[in-house]
Amino acid sequence: MKSSIITAIQDEGRAQQAEEWLLRLPQLLPADLPDQGKIEDTVSALSHPAGSGWILARVASLLLPYYEKDTPQVIREMEAEDWLESLSGIPGWAIDRAVRWWKGPDNPDRRRRPLEGDISSRAKMHFGNVRAVPAIVGKIRVTQKPTQEPPKTVTPEEMAERKRKAEEIMAGFRRKAD
């Protein structure tokens, strides 16, 4: 089962769907939650870090609009190593999400050149949201209320006592009204 989820997410590019599914789970009622194993398998599938070649290509595409042709090659290589170190261990889908956010309309700083930490911190935020889901769902399961017990049958003696107390209370109200 685990390998089929990993394969589906990686081969078919369903990382965004898997992430959205996971992030909706905390909104469900405990009875509607899927099996914990399926949740953990999906998180595991989304946790595979991007390869270094992919990271460098993604960073190159991000930085292309900021290209400075006078920068020496040795400096570019050092920059690439810094980016690779900052983004190593992070899944590609999270890096992609961070890059798209950086370039998108919701980022007021999108016109300036991003630094490694800008993209890394945003990617880690996305990845952290996904990694937190199993613990959140576990807490939801724990807080699930046990099934209610059937109502207790009231004995005739208890019913008579309740009626007596109700009559006392009503008598007290009548005295106050007079």
Side-chain angles (χ1 to χ4, degrees):
M1 169 102 180
K2 188 177 199 176
S3 61
S4 66
I5 291 177
I6 292 171
T7 303
I9 289 174
Q10 291 176 341
D11 293 346
E12 298 176 26
R14 295 189 178 171
Q16 183 173 352
Q17 290 174 341
E19 178 196 14
E20 289 170 357
W21 176 76
L22 283 169
L23 295 178
R24 279 193 306 267
L25 294 181
Q27 300 167 11
L28 298 178
L29 296 172
D32 297 332
L33 290 170
D35 177 61
Q36 190 74 14
K38 182 176 181 183
I39 295 169
E40 290 171 0
D41 287 348
T42 304
V43 170
S44 176
L46 288 171
S47 298
H48 291 283
S52 58
W54 184 90
I55 291 173
L56 292 174
R58 191 63 181 110
V59 168
S61 72
L62 169 66
L63 298 179
L64 188 61
Y66 310 101
Y67 180 75
E68 297 168 4
K69 58 184 171 182
D70 295 337
T71 303
Q73 182 62 26
V74 69
I75 301 296
R76 289 198 189 284
E77 290 172 10
M78 287 178 182
E79 283 184 320
E81 289 173 9
D82 292 343
W83 276 95
L84 186 57
E85 184 172 329
S86 181
L87 297 174
S88 289
I90 302 173
W93 66 267
I95 296 170
D96 250 351
R97 182 72 51 87
V99 167
R100 289 187 179 136
W101 171 82
W102 184 269
K103 292 177 159 185
D106 295 334
N107 177 15
D109 294 328
R110 69 184 172 275
R111 298 198 189 285
R112 72 172 177 84
R113 184 176 194 237
L115 299 175
E116 298 90 329
D118 296 325
I119 302 303
S120 176
S121 65
R122 188 72 182 199
K124 287 176 182 176
M125 179 200 72
H126 289 294
F127 185 39
N129 290 343
V130 164
R131 287 190 340 211
V133 169
I136 294 168
V137 168
K139 287 182 180 178
I140 292 170
R141 289 184 203 279
V142 168
T143 60
Q144 179 179 10
K145 294 181 180 177
T147 56
Q148 289 185 337
E149 295 178 17
K152 180 182 170 188
T153 306
V154 180
T155 65
E157 294 81 22
E158 290 172 323
M159 186 60 80
E161 179 63 21
R162 289 180 184 180
K163 187 175 180 181
R164 185 187 64 72
K165 285 183 181 178
E167 287 173 355
E168 283 179 17
I169 292 170
M170 293 305 292
F173 285 133
R174 282 192 283 273
R175 283 190 295 268
K176 287 182 182 178
D178 292 338

